[in-house]
Amino acid sequence: MRIFLSEILSILIGNYESEILSIEAFLPELTTILPIALLKCPHLGFHKPIHAVLMTSLYQPLMLSIVCNFPWSIRSIISILIRSTSIPSHIVSHVLSDISLLSDYYATLVRDMLTDAGSFIHVALSITFNRGDGDFTYLGHLLSIGGKTFMKDWAKSTPPISYPTAIEARQRVIHNITSQKDLSDLSAISQINTSLRILCGFIGILNINVESSEAESILNTVALCSQHERTSLLATCFMLTCRDLAKMVERETIVRAIITIWASGSIKDFQLLLASHFHSNQLASVSDLIRSRLDLGVTIHSESLSLMAEIYIKDIFTSDTLARQSLSLPLDSTSLLLPAILLQLKAKTFVRLGLDIGLWVEKMLGSVTEPIPAVHLNLVQEYAPAVLATSSLGEVSEKSLRNLFQDESVAVRVLTLYYCLAMHDARQKQKVLEKSKNLPNEFSKEFLNSLPIKSILLAMESKRENYRDVEPLIMNLAVSHFPQLFQVNTLLHLEELKNNTIEEYVRITDLDLGSSNWTPQSIAVVFENTITHPLETYRALNELYVLKDHELLPFAEVLTKVLLPLLVDDRAEEYLLYAFKDLWDILFTKFPWEMAIKFIDPFRFTSESALPTVPMTHGDLISDPLILFKIDRRLFKTPILLQIFVEIVGMYMVAARKQLNTNGKIMQKMEETTTLILSQDTLIIQQLLEICNLKDSISNLEKIQNLVCSFVHDQFIDNALLIKLVHFQGYDPALIQMTVHLIPSMHMGIEFLPELLAMPQLDRQIFAIKLAAHLVEKYPIAKSLELSRLVLTHIRRRCNVSELKIKGSKTSDASSFLMEILPSIVQICSAFPILTEEAAQHLLEMGGEFGDVRNEKK
């Protein structure tokens, strides 16, 4: 053993061949000593001994001795061999081949490790072809992972180990396709499929084409088993990949093969998509499609593909045939038929042929599943403007769309909503272009107002990953055309509801609710006795609170028609109002349109008349939101119900603005439209401010004023011009103190008060002076001082007797004016004491002038 180890050491140090280790007579002893030495001297490891052994002439039997005696280290041994860069490659190749012959396991292991390392691929190929089963699957794997590198080297070079050349391998593959006798045997079909894929790789990667007789034989074979989907798909890929197939094989043979595959019905959608690409002259897309189906990076010759395109377009799938066949096939969410239809829509094929695809679009909407593929969204985007260009395409009726919205599938409802919004958006753009208020077949206002936008958006939230593509599209269109559904306050409140887990916990645990067995009929009986039995109503409301959305909606009618009118009664308990508001928030955030009408209806009986008014519609409220104020005034005395009313008013204000803006763009009268919007908003704000001027002494007046002023403040912030218009038109001066102190944005009034003060009407001047007094008192800033001086100067001029005589005005009017605004002068002087002396001087002068006038009269 010492001699052996010294020889190993000498080889490693001197890098020369050992005579002892090269004498074949010593081989039995060497094969025995070598494993023992490695075992007794573990510090040597495998790397150095293997390197020394490979430098001897007996490296093959010695290496086998190591492998056989250390099977648990086989991976390390193979790894050392692969990384041995200083050893000639033919030596390593021989050793790896010898190891692979020891067992099938070693053969597979060597091949897999060589493949992962990307080295000695010729050894891996030799192992593959020397195995008894002719492992074509592995050859296909090599084409997939290394077609651009070592597979091309195999096709060009002659490696040191004997194995089939690329040409010989191609012949084996073709033989494996055409020699199958029993085509009813699934294993035979599997071999054909594997061989077809490999053959496509040979042609498209290794540039090894087939001969005409071989191509014809392959087409005849696959035609006999075209009922198998995978076989038909690979056969089609072969025909498109095979270079100059249209020149090698008669055109009739190719046409017959394609028609046979079509008749089998196994890949009709794939063939239609190919034909659609060919009609659009998208040869690059065809190449990409073939590569994706083969999972191989094949290169397809463009000239050859052009010849095949001509066969597809002229001999088999003409425009008319392609379009009609596409519409006749059954729909599947994963079908390639959808991109085929999309291509034809883009090419305007259906428009050119006058084909109605409305029914197909309806089926497409109803067949979608989660997650919604991008092709469905692209189809809707292309269809919406195309259907407006011609009436022949056909549309999905409102009745059908309503039915789709009732579908249990969230995906169906989501895509249907996107379709409706996209169609509406396309029509609005068309109106602007054509300057027309109406277009044929546009959605009715009732249908648009009934779109379940909020409920569908909320349904998407639980599965947002399935709707990541469509959600921003829907949000963009919904916010653009229905901004009233996305008010900031409502969205913030909805977010608060979603995060409020404490309230739900308290409700459930404190009341021990159990399961709810309420029906709308049974709970209506409880609600009717709300005044006398409020706790029973409260318990019922809390049980409704824990219901899911779809379970709660049937109770909306009872809540608004039976319970709501009783809640305006002075005897109604406040905790019932809060419980009702909680349920209302849930329903209103999900079904705003429906709940708004349901809330207003019970109050459309005035105290003067018990007769109901004409039924309201959403269209009426959008056209004139002021109708909302023609209701029972008792509603305004309850802050919680008033808050709901104000939310509804805000929603319809935004909807009215949107409708007026849209009409203004269509008729190109934006200046008049802006004036109309401002006038409408101003009137609504004035109506809301009048609510705060209740003559009755009620305990909730402060809450009511805060609610109204908070809403008015939001409107002023959205459009600063409104604050000027509201005050130029005026409101009850008794409300000035409230507006100044409860509306933070009122400080902007300091800017326009000089204009208001200059108005000729006396009542406007008095209003301006009173407003100025309250503003300067709350905001004693530099601008307020300037305004105060201007007000005092105006008062002095307005009460100047000499000027009054010149103008022919009565001095009594000036006296009344002075008495009216005298408290305002006190406020100004209180805010700016520096003006007290000036104000007093003015008052003394005016008092003296009025005294002289009285003396003259005497």
Side-chain angles (χ1 to χ4, degrees):
M1 182 176 292
R2 290 180 178 177
I3 296 173
F4 174 79
L5 292 175
S6 65
E7 290 295 315
I8 292 291
L9 184 60
S10 299
I11 293 173
L12 293 173
I13 296 175
N15 198 23
Y16 66 90
E17 184 175 352
S18 171
E19 293 183 3
I20 295 176
L21 298 182
S22 301
I23 299 174
E24 192 170 351
F26 293 154
L27 185 59
E29 289 80 2
L30 291 173
T31 54
T32 303
I33 293 173
L34 178 57
I36 295 173
L38 293 175
L39 189 62
K40 293 293 185 179
C41 305
H43 62 279
L44 286 175
F46 285 106
H47 186 273
K48 291 182 178 180
I50 288 176
H51 188 272
V53 166
L54 291 176
M55 296 180 68
T56 68
S57 59
L58 298 177
Y59 65 88
Q60 286 182 283
L62 293 177
M63 280 303 304
L64 290 177
S65 175
I66 295 175
V67 170
C68 293
N69 284 280
F70 295 92
W72 57 85
S73 300
I74 183 63
R75 289 184 177 273
S76 298
I77 295 170
I78 296 173
S79 180
I80 291 171
L81 289 170
I82 294 174
R83 295 199 302 267
S84 298
T85 56
S86 61
I87 305 300
S89 60
H90 70 277
I91 294 178
V92 178
S93 299
H94 282 298
V95 174
L96 291 171
S97 298
D98 291 342
I99 294 173
S100 68
L101 295 176
L102 293 177
S103 70
D104 286 342
Y105 171 74
Y106 282 178
T108 303
L109 180 60
V110 170
R111 189 179 66 178
D112 291 345
M113 291 185 69
L114 292 177
T115 303
D116 293 339
S119 303
F120 300 100
I121 296 301
H122 57 279
V123 178
L125 289 170
S126 180
I127 294 171
T128 297
F129 287 108
N130 288 333
R131 295 180 69 166
D133 58 356
D135 195 352
F136 288 107
T137 303
Y138 175 73
L139 188 56
H141 175 64
L142 281 181
L143 287 168
S144 298
I145 65 171
K148 298 295 183 182
T149 55
F150 45 77
M151 287 301 291
K152 288 189 175 182
D153 296 337
W154 170 53
K156 297 177 181 178
S157 62
T158 304
I161 291 184
S162 176
Y163 63 89
T165 64
I167 300 298
E168 293 171 338
R170 185 212 65 179
Q171 292 172 346
R172 288 192 187 187
V173 170
I174 293 175
H175 177 75
N176 201 40
I177 297 172
T178 58
S179 64
Q180 300 295 335
K181 302 299 182 184
D182 186 8
L183 295 180
S184 61
D185 184 6
L186 292 181
S187 62
I189 299 299
S190 179
Q191 290 190 45
I192 290 176
N193 293 343
T194 302
S195 301
L196 277 172
R197 180 173 177 272
I198 293 172
L199 186 58
C200 290
F202 279 6
I203 298 171
I205 297 176
L206 305 182
N207 200 25
I208 302 176
N209 210 2
V210 298
E211 298 178 359
S212 58
S213 58
E214 293 171 333
E216 191 167 351
S217 179
I218 291 171
L219 292 180
N220 291 333
T221 300
V222 296
L224 298 175
C225 49
S226 58
Q227 70 275 15
H228 298 282
E229 180 179 347
R230 182 63 178 169
T231 307
S232 296
L233 177 65
L234 291 170
T236 303
C237 291
F238 164 74
M239 285 188 280
L240 297 173
T241 306
C242 184
R243 184 168 182 173
D244 296 331
L245 179 68
K247 295 179 180 179
M248 292 190 297
V249 181
E250 292 184 1
R251 193 181 184 105
E252 291 75 11
T253 303
I254 299 174
V255 171
R256 185 167 57 252
I258 296 173
I259 291 177
T260 301
I261 292 173
W262 171 264
S264 69
S266 54
I267 58 164
K268 283 189 173 182
D269 57 343
F270 180 72
Q271 289 180 298
L272 290 173
L273 180 56
L274 285 174
S276 299
H277 280 306
F278 284 139
H279 274 279
S280 301
N281 197 30
Q282 297 180 356
L283 300 185
S285 298
V286 173
S287 299
D288 292 338
L289 183 61
I290 297 301
R291 282 191 282 267
S292 67
R293 289 299 176 268
L294 290 173
D295 192 22
L296 294 174
V298 295
T299 301
I300 302 176
H301 194 255
S302 58
E303 182 181 352
S304 177
L305 197 59
S306 297
L307 294 175
M308 291 298 297
E310 185 179 345
I311 294 175
Y312 265 83
I313 294 172
K314 293 184 177 180
D315 296 353
I316 305 172
F317 297 104
T318 61
S319 293
D320 185 71
T321 302
L322 175 62
R324 296 184 186 279
Q325 290 293 342
S326 299
L327 295 176
S328 66
L329 288 186
L331 267 174
D332 182 355
S333 288
T334 59
S335 173
L336 295 176
L337 180 61
L338 295 168
I341 294 286
L342 177 60
L343 285 171
Q344 294 174 68
L345 266 176
K346 290 181 177 179
K348 296 183 171 39
T349 302
F350 301 113
V351 174
R352 189 168 59 254
L353 298 173
L355 294 178
D356 187 339
I357 63 171
L359 182 59
W360 184 91
V361 173
E362 181 181 343
K363 292 179 180 178
M364 183 267 291
L365 295 175
S367 64
V368 68
T369 57
E370 295 179 347
I372 298 180
V375 65
H376 287 72
L377 307 179
N378 294 333
L379 273 166
V380 173
Q381 292 169 359
E382 287 293 331
Y383 173 78
V387 76
L388 297 180
T390 175
S391 59
S392 63
L393 279 181
E395 293 186 42
V396 184
S397 65
E398 287 186 10
K399 181 180 179 181
S400 299
L401 292 172
R402 291 181 191 274
N403 292 335
L404 289 171
F405 279 128
Q406 301 302 318
D407 197 281
E408 294 181 358
S409 169
V410 176
V412 171
R413 300 201 302 272
V414 168
L415 188 61
T416 303
L417 176 61
Y418 178 57
Y419 168 85
C420 294
L421 293 175
M423 289 295 297
H424 180 61
D425 181 67
R427 285 195 176 99
Q428 294 305 309
K429 292 177 180 177
Q430 189 73 11
K431 285 181 178 180
V432 174
L433 291 175
E434 296 183 2
K435 301 179 184 179
S436 172
K437 282 191 175 182
N438 298 302
L439 289 177
N441 300 324
E442 65 178 314
F443 294 138
S444 64
K445 290 183 179 180
E446 292 74 18
F447 176 75
L448 289 173
N449 293 333
S450 66
L451 290 178
I453 297 174
K454 295 297 289 291
S455 60
I456 289 178
L457 286 174
L458 291 169
M460 284 193 288
E461 285 189 2
S462 59
K463 299 180 179 179
R464 182 159 286 174
E465 67 279 0
N466 292 332
Y467 303 103
R468 64 182 62 179
D469 293 331
V470 68
E471 185 179 17
L473 298 175
I474 289 179
M475 283 295 295
N476 181 46
L477 293 172
V479 171
S480 175
H481 296 286
F482 300 93
Q484 63 273 18
L485 301 180
F486 302 92
Q487 298 183 79
V488 175
N489 291 338
T490 304
L491 294 176
L492 290 175
H493 189 67
L494 176 61
E495 194 67 27
E496 182 182 347
L497 283 177
K498 289 192 295 184
N499 297 327
N500 191 2
T501 56
I502 296 178
E503 182 177 352
E504 184 177 353
Y505 174 78
V506 171
R507 287 175 181 273
I508 295 174
T509 55
D510 285 0
L511 294 173
D512 189 22
L513 300 176
S515 59
S516 174
N517 296 315
W518 290 112
T519 64
Q521 293 75 22
S522 63
I523 209 168
V525 177
V526 176
F527 288 165
E528 288 170 356
N529 299 310
T530 294
I531 303 300
T532 56
H533 298 86
L535 287 177
E536 290 187 12
T537 299
Y538 185 64
R539 179 183 178 87
L541 290 173
N542 279 280
E543 290 194 34
L544 293 180
Y545 184 83
V546 299
L547 296 179
K548 296 180 179 178
D549 300 341
H550 66 278
E551 297 172 334
L552 181 59
L553 185 59
F555 294 93
E557 193 82 16
V558 181
L559 284 167
T560 52
K561 281 195 173 182
V562 180
L563 178 61
L564 183 56
L566 297 175
L567 295 180
V568 297
D569 194 299
D570 294 336
R571 294 172 295 169
E573 298 290 345
E574 190 173 11
Y575 58 79
L576 292 179
L577 289 165
Y578 283 107
F580 174 83
K581 180 65 164 59
D582 290 339
L583 286 173
W584 166 265
D585 288 335
I586 296 173
L587 289 167
F588 185 65
T589 52
K590 296 174 176 63
F591 315 102
W593 296 117
E594 298 89 337
M595 295 309 299
I597 291 294
K598 290 180 187 298
F599 181 85
I600 295 298
D601 271 341
F603 298 103
R604 298 181 67 238
F605 298 84
T606 62
S607 57
E608 293 80 10
S609 173
L611 297 175
T613 55
V614 179
M616 281 190 304
T617 64
H618 290 294
D620 295 335
L621 292 174
I622 293 175
S623 299
D624 185 9
L626 289 165
I627 298 176
L628 288 167
F629 293 91
K630 298 178 181 179
I631 59 174
D632 190 339
R633 308 290 290 183
R634 290 182 303 161
L635 173 67
F636 303 146
K637 298 179 182 181
T638 308
I640 294 176
L641 299 182
L642 177 61
Q643 184 179 355
I644 295 174
F645 175 77
V646 167
E647 289 177 8
I648 294 173
V649 170
M651 182 179 72
Y652 281 108
M653 281 180 71
V654 178
R657 288 188 208 125
K658 176 61 182 176
Q659 179 173 285
L660 290 171
N661 270 320
T662 301
N663 293 336
K665 288 179 181 178
I666 293 171
M667 304 309 295
Q668 294 187 348
K669 295 181 178 180
M670 288 307 299
E671 187 175 345
E672 294 89 334
T673 299
T674 302
T675 303
L676 184 58
I677 291 173
L678 291 172
S679 300
Q680 181 174 264
D681 289 352
T682 301
L683 288 172
I684 291 174
I685 291 173
Q686 288 174 326
Q687 289 279 358
L688 287 170
L689 291 175
E690 286 300 319
I691 294 175
C692 300
N693 199 19
L694 295 171
K695 303 302 181 183
D696 304 336
S697 58
I698 58 174
S699 58
N700 293 320
L701 182 59
E702 185 177 350
K703 292 181 180 179
I704 292 171
Q705 290 177 342
N706 277 309
L707 277 172
V708 172
C709 289
S710 176
F711 178 82
V712 173
H713 170 66
D714 291 339
Q715 302 306 311
F716 287 166
I717 292 299
D718 286 342
N719 188 350
L721 187 57
L722 275 177
I723 189 172
K724 182 176 181 179
L725 293 176
V726 168
H727 288 87
F728 268 67
Q729 292 187 15
Y731 49 83
D732 191 338
L735 296 174
I736 291 178
Q737 182 177 359
M738 177 201 73
T739 58
V740 170
H741 287 276
L742 297 182
I743 301 177
S745 52
M746 280 294 293
H747 66 85
M748 292 186 290
I750 297 174
E751 302 291 338
F752 62 76
L753 265 174
E755 296 180 54
L756 182 59
L757 197 62
M759 293 185 70
Q761 297 88 349
L762 182 61
D763 59 335
R764 297 293 88 208
Q765 295 176 26
I766 294 173
F767 181 86
I769 293 170
K770 290 183 176 182
L771 178 59
H774 283 283
L775 284 174
V776 299
E777 186 178 36
K778 185 175 182 181
Y779 304 103
I781 57 178
K783 284 188 176 181
S784 297
L785 179 60
E786 295 177 12
L787 178 62
S788 298
R789 286 198 168 105
L790 179 65
V791 169
L792 292 176
T793 302
H794 179 81
I795 294 172
R796 178 71 185 90
R797 188 186 309 115
R798 184 71 181 76
C799 296
N800 188 296
V801 174
S802 302
E803 291 187 12
L804 291 175
K805 289 180 178 181
I806 295 173
K807 295 178 180 179
S809 300
K810 298 178 180 179
T811 56
S812 58
D813 293 340
S815 178
S816 301
F817 169 79
L818 182 60
M819 296 303 296
E820 183 78 19
I821 53 87
L822 194 58
S824 299
I825 297 176
V826 175
Q827 285 179 280
I828 292 173
C829 293
S830 175
F832 296 104
I834 193 175
L835 299 177
T836 304
E837 185 177 351
E838 180 182 344
Q841 182 66 32
H842 287 334
L843 289 173
L844 288 173
E845 291 177 0
M846 288 184 287
E849 291 178 358
F850 289 145
D852 293 341
V853 170
R854 284 195 296 270
N855 292 333
E856 289 178 6
K857 289 182 177 180
K858 289 179 180 180

